[in-house]
């Protein structure tokens, strides 16, 4: 890297040098310079903070990037750390034990494209991450922050994918990990976290109760890094790597259209942030792109606000099979509205039945078994085509964020053997399947 | 590539040019030249054959390799096709729709090494393949063969991982896919195949009955490619990529010791074949290495033969939770004995309880959730250390072949939340977990 500084939004502090507080080592957060409020722009030192002390707006990592070249990135490891210069992590990040997530498949989806009537379609498949969802990306960044901040405990409230990712990453890093889940979770989801940690805590209540308890503990205890609470600004940056990878895997160029699921909305806004950074850094050519958000109708506050032309999102009580998207009061909802409107995309939603149909559609056309969140995204893509909201002549990417093995029940009653036969050739011949 | 020819075992035919039969296109099988009998050396043309017409021995792909360089491989795609020059596939293989498997993580396992008392240990983690097992590698090679042979139908008998891989690969390739499973399979395993294909056939009987039916259909029907029956020689070559990747990911050198699960035994012999090829081609330095085989005691015919000093394997009736290793009459058993004895390794087995313990051990130390086959391999590694059969000062690689989400039941009663509490800080504080 050379030392010439490229500025990206949010605008770096006037004094763009890193200002480590709290006894941080030099370069603990790489090229990050501060935490900047997304509402009022006020900046605070890098640390375990997530709300602006001035206006309570959300804090986001600000950087002073040096020149970064494609060659430098391409020479890096085959995981998210190839983009370490663009993340709030130290330059030696790949030497610290972590799950080495990312650089997942970008598959050209010729069959699905033909079925839907699209000219060029890609699936970015994050179901092959270490714990089978995109959460491994964000958790890896949160783990680095926890390490650099000297946290004693690595923790999260979760109902599924996040719990898996935190428990696995914590085990590998050798840091004490405490994961909080609702006590009424299905056995498979419990096992998939409990196998990694002996500090899984079942909480009597729903996810909101678990989340509230996590915030309380974060306030009471010193040295706890709750990935999606007090180190959230660092955690959220991990989603940018989805955007970087899409661009690099397309041969260092941006797609025309991207369809992304919306839970908190963070992933969608970070993919946009990644594209903007790549343009600013000169790593891709500047060109128009449209970002589309996908929700399940049973939890579609952002889609509703988009359709109503509102700038704020009215919370809802979730009721959908797409549980990993079931956030009724999405923190980044307003920013999703901004991004989709600015780029010319939309936010759309589909029914649970359409989610189930889309899971089978993706499996049958491309051999990818997605969870309900991916079903939502593919189903919304289909609806966007059918309603003319997406341009079928433009190159499109759809993001699959997780694995169908985690939400088997969604399709268990929709797919089945074509026939049950005696073990003889005659019995098989009679099925007509030959 | 230059055109100088490097000969590898099995010895190429005197006439080393490809001899396409059956209307094959030029280069349909890359640098493969023939199918050679592993027993008598007799060669037949490349085609859908698996048994020697002279002695009924198993046929294996023979090659005339050109010079292949590290740089050529490193410039290739980030999946098994980077090794296409060493596989029986055409040079344009990466342009045909496939699941793009391989190039999975090689993770340094510092915590597990410390726990077991090993100086340097790596886990080759194939649970992050497209359908979460190493089977995606072999199925991708079988699919290429099916395509080049003009097969109408892509098929297999299976109880699990293979069914998932075939159904997914077939869907993506747009070829008719028929998958045969025993009718008494657990719902999750059925769903995980049925989601990909509308031609899943449940057969009343056990796996042996299903397998027998598959052979019968392969004999009766034209144009069927049964991956593990009539295109088995091509299919099996896919396992070599595990060996290539281990060497490349170690920086183009061989490890000292490798521990590999044994079902049919094919994977173990192909990793050895890969190492030998890399040495012959000058891609790695020639050095001694030891290969160890892992079985569950409930299906340990190869381990028993090894311990008895026998050259043949006496079939057993499997009774173990490691169902993906439960092949009572392993086709490559004798070759596994050869490889382990020749390299100075051993074949060892452990109880189902030790398998379960090892699954939790790997999860807690390295954040990897393996299926029972991986538990068997890690558990055998532990036993080899404890019994002094493995040198703890030497660099060791253990292969994880599949994902724990597929065999959840194995550990469902062994891992659980540490506490179930009311949603209050006081209740949490009382757990002692802070």
């Amino acid at each position: 890297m050379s030392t010439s500084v490229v500025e990206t939004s949010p605008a770096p502090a006037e004094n763009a040098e890193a200002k480590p507080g709290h006894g941080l080592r030099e370069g603990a957060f790489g090229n990050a310079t501060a935490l900047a409020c997304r509402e009022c722009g006020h900046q605070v030192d890098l640390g375990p903070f997530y709300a602006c002390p001035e206006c309570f707006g959300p804090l986001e990592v600000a950087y002073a990037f040096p020149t970064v070249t494609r060659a430098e990135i391409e020479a890096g490891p085959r995981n998210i750390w190839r983009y370490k210069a663009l993340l709030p992590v130290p330059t030696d990040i790949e030497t610290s034990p972590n799950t080495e997530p990312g650089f997942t498949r970008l598959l050209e989806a010729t069959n699905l494209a033909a079925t839907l009537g699209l000219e060029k379609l890609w699936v970015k498949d994050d179901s092959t991450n270490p714990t089978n969802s995109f959460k491994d990306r964000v958790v890896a960044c949160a783990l680095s922050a926890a390490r650099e901040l000297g946290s004693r405990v690595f923790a999260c409230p979760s109902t599924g994918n996040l719990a898996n990712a935190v428990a696995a990453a914590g085990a590998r890093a050798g840091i004490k990990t405490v994961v909080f889940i609702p006590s009424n979770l299905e056995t498979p989801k419990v096992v998939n976290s409990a196998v990694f940690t002996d500090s899984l805590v079942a909480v009597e209540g729903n996810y909101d109760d678990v989340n509230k308890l996590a915030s309380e503990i974060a306030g009471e205890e010193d040295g706890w890094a709750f990935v999606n609470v007090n180190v959230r600004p660092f955690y959220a940056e991990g989603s940018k790597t989805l955007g970087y990878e899409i661009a690099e895997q397309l041969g260092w160029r941006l797609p025309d259209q991207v369809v992304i699921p919306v839970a908190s909305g963070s992933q969608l806004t970070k993919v946009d942030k990644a594209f903007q950074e790549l343009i600013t850094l000169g790593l891709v050519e500047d060109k128009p792109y449209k970002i589309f958000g996908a929700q399940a109708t049973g939890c579609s506050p952002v889609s509703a606000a988009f359709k109503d032309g509102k700038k704020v999102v009215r919370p809802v009580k979730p009721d959908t099979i797409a549980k990993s998207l079931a956030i009724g009061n999405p923190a980044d909802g307003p920013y999703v509205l901004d991004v989709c409107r600015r780029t010319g995309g939309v936010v759309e939603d589909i029914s649970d039945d359409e989610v189930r149909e889309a899971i089978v559609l993706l499996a049958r056309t491309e051999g990818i078994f997605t969870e309900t969140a991916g079903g939502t995204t593919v189903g919304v893509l289909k609806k966007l085509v059918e309603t003319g909201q997406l341009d079928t002549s433009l190159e499109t990417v759809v993001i699959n964020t997780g694995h169908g093995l985690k939400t088997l029940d969604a399709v268990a009653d929709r797919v089945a053997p074509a026939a049950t036969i005696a073990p003889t050739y005659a019995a098989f011949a009679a099925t007509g399947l030959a």
Side-chain angles (χ1 to χ4, degrees), chain A:
Chain A
M1 286 179 215
S2 83
T3 52
S4 92
V5 171
V6 176
E7 299 190 0
T8 63
S9 63
E14 281 179 39
N15 171 5
E17 289 167 273
K19 293 180 293 186
H22 318 278
L24 294 175
R25 67 171 173 138
E26 191 69 30
F29 295 105
N31 296 311
T33 54
L35 295 175
C37 177
R38 282 160 88 176
E39 290 300 323
C40 75
H42 178 77
Q43 295 205 348
V44 301
D45 282 355
L46 294 161
F49 316 120
Y50 57 106
C52 175
E54 298 292 322
C55 77
F56 301 105
L59 296 174
E60 183 172 48
V61 178
Y63 302 87
F65 290 131
T67 300
V68 178
T69 67
R70 293 177 183 177
E72 282 163 1
I73 291 170
E74 288 168 357
R78 279 171 291 266
N79 53 51
I80 61 170
W81 306 132
R82 65 203 283 111
Y83 308 109
K84 62 186 176 184
L86 310 178
L87 297 171
V89 299
T91 53
D92 60 356
I93 179 65
E94 68 267 36
T95 64
S96 303
N98 69 88
T99 63
E100 303 181 12
F103 227 53
T104 54
R105 304 182 296 173
L106 181 73
L107 286 174
E108 187 170 353
T110 315
N111 299 331
L112 181 58
T115 304
L116 299 181
L118 284 157
E119 279 184 27
K120 192 90 168 172
L121 176 67
W122 304 84
V123 178
K124 178 63 177 169
D125 181 20
D126 251 22
S127 69
T128 55
N129 261 318
T131 70
N132 311 98
S133 86
F134 88 100
K135 291 290 186 187
D136 292 314
R137 299 175 183 272
V138 286
V139 166
C141 290
L143 177 63
S144 178
R147 194 185 276 125
E148 298 300 333
L149 292 166
S151 305
R152 281 189 304 117
V153 184
F154 193 54
C156 75
S158 169
T159 63
N161 286 331
L162 183 58
N164 303 162
V166 165
R172 185 156 161 76
I175 185 173
K176 176 172 171 171
T177 300
V178 185
V179 173
F180 297 86
I181 55 171
S183 60
N184 62 353
L185 270 197
E186 307 92 307
T187 302
K189 289 189 185 161
V190 176
V191 172
N192 203 17
S193 290
V195 74
F196 295 118
T197 178
D198 56 9
S199 297
L200 181 68
V201 179
V203 178
E204 289 158 352
N206 60 26
Y207 177 69
D208 289 332
D209 298 316
V210 182
N211 209 12
K212 230 171 72 185
L213 175 61
S215 294
E216 208 181 334
I217 296 171
E220 294 281 346
E221 298 283 346
D222 273 342
W224 280 56
F226 271 99
V227 302
N228 49 350
V229 184
N230 57 346
V231 294
R232 185 175 179 86
F234 304 98
Y235 159 91
E237 289 292 286
S239 285
K240 291 195 306 182
T241 59
L242 271 166
Y244 301 146
E245 289 180 18
I246 289 169
E248 181 179 352
Q249 291 172 318
L250 285 176
W252 292 109
R253 56 184 183 79
L254 302 181
D256 300 316
Q257 303 176 128
V258 192
V259 188
I260 307 174
V262 175
S264 75
S266 174
Q267 180 180 119
L268 184 147
T269 65
K270 294 295 183 181
V271 169
D272 175 62
K273 188 181 182 187
F275 285 177
Q276 289 298 316
E277 287 175 349
L278 293 177
I279 292 170
T280 305
L281 289 161
L283 288 165
V284 299
E285 204 175 305
D286 193 1
K287 68 177 277 289
Y289 59 84
K290 295 180 184 180
I291 294 191
F292 298 81
Q295 298 206 297
T297 306
C299 181
S300 53
V302 187
S303 175
F306 185 90
K307 291 173 181 175
D308 290 346
K310 299 274 170 61
K311 286 189 168 184
V312 292
V313 172
R314 190 172 168 173
V316 299
K317 196 173 165 205
D319 178 20
T320 169
I321 58 164
K323 292 197 193 306
S324 58
L325 300 181
I327 298 184
N329 189 12
D332 289 82
Y335 306 114
V336 168
L337 295 171
D338 286 351
V339 168
C340 293
R341 286 177 179 139
R342 190 194 82 230
T343 62
V346 304
V347 188
E348 191 46 278
D349 59 272
I350 57 168
S351 71
D352 283 3
D353 255 1
E354 289 170 304
V355 170
R356 293 189 188 94
E357 265 170 38
I359 292 174
V360 178
L361 174 66
L362 181 63
R364 295 278 164 101
T365 51
E366 300 300 341
I368 299 170
F369 187 17
T370 183
E371 66 162 327
T372 46
T376 303
T377 316
V378 171
V380 162
L381 167 67
K382 181 166 180 274
K383 183 170 179 178
L384 291 170
V385 171
E386 289 167 353
T387 54
Q389 298 180 88
L390 191 124
D391 188 335
T392 55
S393 72
L394 296 179
E395 184 171 42
T396 304
V397 175
V398 61
I399 296 181
N400 173 31
T401 48
H403 204 298
L405 277 170
K406 297 190 182 188
T407 59
L408 267 180
D409 288 349
V411 292
D413 60 352
R414 291 179 94 84
V415 296
T420 300
I421 63 170
T424 66
Y425 177 71
F428 173 68
T431 64
L433 289 167

Coordinates of all heavy atoms in Angstrom, one line a residue, chain A residues 140-180:
Chain A
A140 N -16.7 -12.7 12.7 CA -15.2 -12.6 12.6 C -14.7 -11.2 12.8 O -13.7 -11.0 13.5 CB -14.8 -13.1 11.2
C141 N -15.4 -10.2 12.4 CA -15.0 -8.8 12.6 C -15.3 -8.4 14.1 O -14.5 -7.8 14.7 CB -15.8 -7.9 11.7 SG -15.2 -8.0 10.0
A142 N -16.4 -8.9 14.6 CA -16.7 -8.6 16.0 C -15.6 -9.3 16.9 O -15.2 -8.7 18.0 CB -18.1 -9.2 16.4
L143 N -15.2 -10.5 16.6 CA -14.2 -11.2 17.3 C -12.9 -10.5 17.4 O -12.2 -10.3 18.4 CB -14.0 -12.6 16.7 CG -12.9 -13.5 17.4 CD1 -13.3 -13.8 18.8 CD2 -12.7 -14.8 16.6
S144 N -12.5 -9.9 16.2 CA -11.3 -9.1 16.2 C -11.4 -7.9 17.1 O -10.5 -7.6 17.9 CB -11.0 -8.6 14.8 OG -9.8 -7.8 14.7
A145 N -12.6 -7.2 17.1 CA -12.8 -6.1 18.0 C -12.7 -6.5 19.4 O -12.1 -5.8 20.3 CB -14.1 -5.4 17.7
A146 N -13.3 -7.6 19.8 CA -13.3 -8.1 21.2 C -11.9 -8.4 21.6 O -11.5 -8.0 22.7 CB -14.2 -9.4 21.3
R147 N -11.1 -9.0 20.7 CA -9.7 -9.3 21.0 C -8.9 -8.0 21.3 O -8.2 -7.8 22.3 CB -9.1 -10.1 19.9 CG -7.8 -10.8 20.2 CD -7.3 -11.4 18.9 NE -7.9 -12.7 18.6 CZ -8.5 -13.1 17.5 NH1 -8.7 -12.2 16.5 NH2 -8.9 -14.3 17.3
E148 N -9.1 -7.0 20.4 CA -8.3 -5.8 20.5 C -8.8 -4.9 21.7 O -8.0 -4.2 22.2 CB -8.4 -5.0 19.2 CG -7.9 -5.7 17.9 CD -6.4 -6.0 18.0 OE1 -5.7 -5.4 18.8 OE2 -6.0 -7.0 17.4
L149 N -10.0 -5.1 22.0 CA -10.5 -4.3 23.2 C -10.2 -5.0 24.5 O -10.6 -4.5 25.6 CB -12.1 -4.1 23.0 CG -12.5 -3.1 21.9 CD1 -14.0 -3.3 21.6 CD2 -12.1 -1.7 22.2
G150 N -9.6 -6.2 24.4 CA -9.3 -6.9 25.6 C -10.5 -7.5 26.3 O -10.5 -7.7 27.6
S151 N -11.6 -7.8 25.6 CA -12.8 -8.4 26.2 C -12.5 -9.7 26.8 O -11.8 -10.5 26.3 CB -13.9 -8.5 25.1 OG -14.1 -7.2 24.5
R152 N -13.2 -10.0 27.9 CA -13.1 -11.3 28.6 C -14.0 -12.3 28.0 O -13.8 -13.5 28.0 CB -13.4 -11.2 30.1 CG -12.4 -10.6 31.0 CD -12.9 -10.7 32.5 NE -14.2 -10.1 32.7 CZ -15.3 -10.8 33.0 NH1 -15.3 -12.1 33.2 NH2 -16.5 -10.2 33.2
V153 N -15.2 -11.8 27.6 CA -16.3 -12.7 27.2 C -16.8 -12.3 25.8 O -17.0 -11.1 25.6 CB -17.4 -12.7 28.2 CG1 -18.5 -13.6 27.9 CG2 -16.9 -12.9 29.6
F154 N -17.1 -13.2 25.0 CA -17.6 -13.0 23.7 C -19.1 -13.6 23.7 O -19.3 -14.7 24.0 CB -16.8 -13.8 22.7 CG -17.0 -13.5 21.2 CD1 -16.9 -12.2 20.8 CD2 -17.2 -14.5 20.3 CE1 -17.0 -11.9 19.4 CE2 -17.3 -14.2 19.0 CZ -17.2 -12.9 18.5
A155 N -20.1 -12.7 23.4 CA -21.4 -13.1 23.7 C -22.4 -12.6 22.6 O -22.1 -11.7 21.8 CB -21.8 -12.6 25.0
C156 N -23.6 -13.2 22.6 CA -24.7 -12.7 21.8 C -26.0 -13.2 22.3 O -26.1 -14.3 22.9 CB -24.5 -13.0 20.3 SG -24.9 -14.8 20.0
P157 N -27.1 -12.5 22.0 CA -28.5 -13.0 22.1 C -28.8 -13.4 20.7 O -28.5 -12.8 19.7 CB -29.3 -11.8 22.5 CG -28.6 -10.6 21.9 CD -27.1 -11.0 21.8
S158 N -29.5 -14.6 20.5 CA -29.8 -15.1 19.1 C -30.8 -16.2 19.2 O -31.0 -16.8 20.2 CB -28.5 -15.6 18.5 OG -28.8 -16.3 17.3
T159 N -31.4 -16.4 18.0 CA -32.3 -17.6 17.9 C -31.8 -18.6 16.9 O -32.4 -19.6 16.7 CB -33.7 -17.2 17.4 OG1 -33.5 -16.6 16.1 CG2 -34.4 -16.1 18.3
G160 N -30.6 -18.3 16.3 CA -30.2 -19.3 15.3 C -28.8 -19.1 14.7 O -27.8 -19.4 15.3
N161 N -28.8 -18.5 13.5 CA -27.5 -18.4 12.8 C -26.4 -17.7 13.6 O -25.3 -18.1 13.6 CB -27.7 -17.7 11.5 CG -28.5 -18.5 10.4 OD1 -28.4 -19.7 10.4 ND2 -29.2 -17.9 9.6
L162 N -26.8 -16.6 14.2 CA -25.8 -15.8 15.0 C -25.2 -16.6 16.1 O -24.0 -16.6 16.4 CB -26.4 -14.5 15.5 CG -25.4 -13.6 16.2 CD1 -24.2 -13.2 15.3 CD2 -26.1 -12.3 16.7
A163 N -26.1 -17.3 16.8 CA -25.7 -18.2 17.9 C -24.6 -19.2 17.4 O -23.6 -19.4 18.1 CB -26.8 -18.9 18.6
N164 N -24.9 -19.9 16.3 CA -24.0 -20.9 15.8 C -22.6 -20.2 15.5 O -21.6 -20.7 15.8 CB -24.5 -21.4 14.4 CG -25.9 -22.1 14.5 OD1 -26.5 -22.3 13.5 ND2 -26.3 -22.4 15.7
A165 N -22.7 -19.1 14.8 CA -21.4 -18.4 14.4 C -20.6 -17.9 15.6 O -19.4 -18.1 15.6 CB -21.8 -17.2 13.5
V166 N -21.3 -17.3 16.6 CA -20.5 -16.8 17.8 C -20.0 -18.0 18.5 O -18.8 -18.0 19.0 CB -21.5 -16.0 18.6 CG1 -20.9 -15.8 20.0 CG2 -21.8 -14.7 18.0
A167 N -20.7 -19.0 18.7 CA -20.3 -20.2 19.5 C -19.1 -20.9 18.9 O -18.1 -21.2 19.5 CB -21.4 -21.2 19.8
A168 N -19.1 -21.0 17.5 CA -18.0 -21.6 16.8 C -16.8 -20.8 16.8 O -15.7 -21.2 17.1 CB -18.5 -21.9 15.4
A169 N -17.0 -19.5 16.5 CA -15.8 -18.6 16.4 C -15.1 -18.4 17.8 O -13.9 -18.4 17.9 CB -16.3 -17.2 15.9
G170 N -16.0 -18.4 18.9 CA -15.4 -18.3 20.2 C -14.6 -19.5 20.6 O -13.5 -19.4 21.2
A171 N -15.1 -20.7 20.2 CA -14.4 -21.9 20.5 C -13.1 -21.9 19.9 O -12.0 -22.2 20.5 CB -15.2 -23.1 20.1
R172 N -13.0 -21.6 18.6 CA -11.8 -21.6 17.9 C -10.8 -20.6 18.4 O -9.6 -20.8 18.4 CB -12.1 -21.4 16.4 CG -10.8 -21.5 15.5 CD -11.1 -21.9 14.1 NE -10.0 -21.6 13.3 CZ -8.8 -22.3 13.3 NH1 -8.7 -23.4 14.0 NH2 -7.8 -21.9 12.5
A173 N -11.3 -19.4 18.8 CA -10.4 -18.4 19.3 C -10.0 -18.6 20.7 O -9.1 -17.9 21.2 CB -11.2 -17.0 19.2
G174 N -10.6 -19.6 21.4 CA -10.2 -19.9 22.8 C -10.6 -18.8 23.7 O -10.0 -18.5 24.8
I175 N -11.7 -18.0 23.4 CA -12.2 -17.0 24.3 C -13.5 -17.5 25.0 O -14.3 -18.3 24.3 CB -12.5 -15.7 23.5 CG1 -12.9 -14.5 24.5 CG2 -13.5 -15.9 22.4 CD1 -13.0 -13.2 23.8
K176 N -13.7 -17.1 26.2 CA -15.0 -17.6 26.9 C -16.2 -17.0 26.1 O -16.2 -15.8 25.8 CB -15.0 -17.0 28.3 CG -16.3 -17.4 29.0 CD -16.3 -17.0 30.5 CE -17.7 -17.2 31.1 NZ -17.7 -17.1 32.5
T177 N -17.1 -17.9 25.8 CA -18.3 -17.5 24.9 C -19.6 -17.8 25.7 O -19.7 -18.9 26.1 CB -18.2 -18.3 23.6 OG1 -17.0 -18.0 23.0 CG2 -19.3 -17.9 22.7
V178 N -20.4 -16.9 25.8 CA -21.7 -17.1 26.4 C -22.8 -16.7 25.4 O -22.8 -15.5 24.9 CB -21.9 -16.3 27.7 CG1 -23.3 -16.6 28.3 CG2 -20.8 -16.5 28.7
V179 N -23.7 -17.6 25.1 CA -24.7 -17.4 24.0 C -26.1 -17.6 24.7 O -26.3 -18.6 25.3 CB -24.5 -18.4 22.9 CG1 -25.6 -18.3 21.9 CG2 -23.2 -18.2 22.2
F180 N -26.9 -16.6 24.4 CA -28.3 -16.5 25.0 C -29.3 -16.9 24.0 O -29.3 -16.2 22.9 CB -28.5 -15.2 25.6 CG -27.6 -14.8 26.8 CD1 -26.4 -14.2 26.5 CD2 -28.0 -15.1 28.1 CE1 -25.5 -13.9 27.6 CE2 -27.1 -14.8 29.1 CZ -25.9 -14.2 28.9

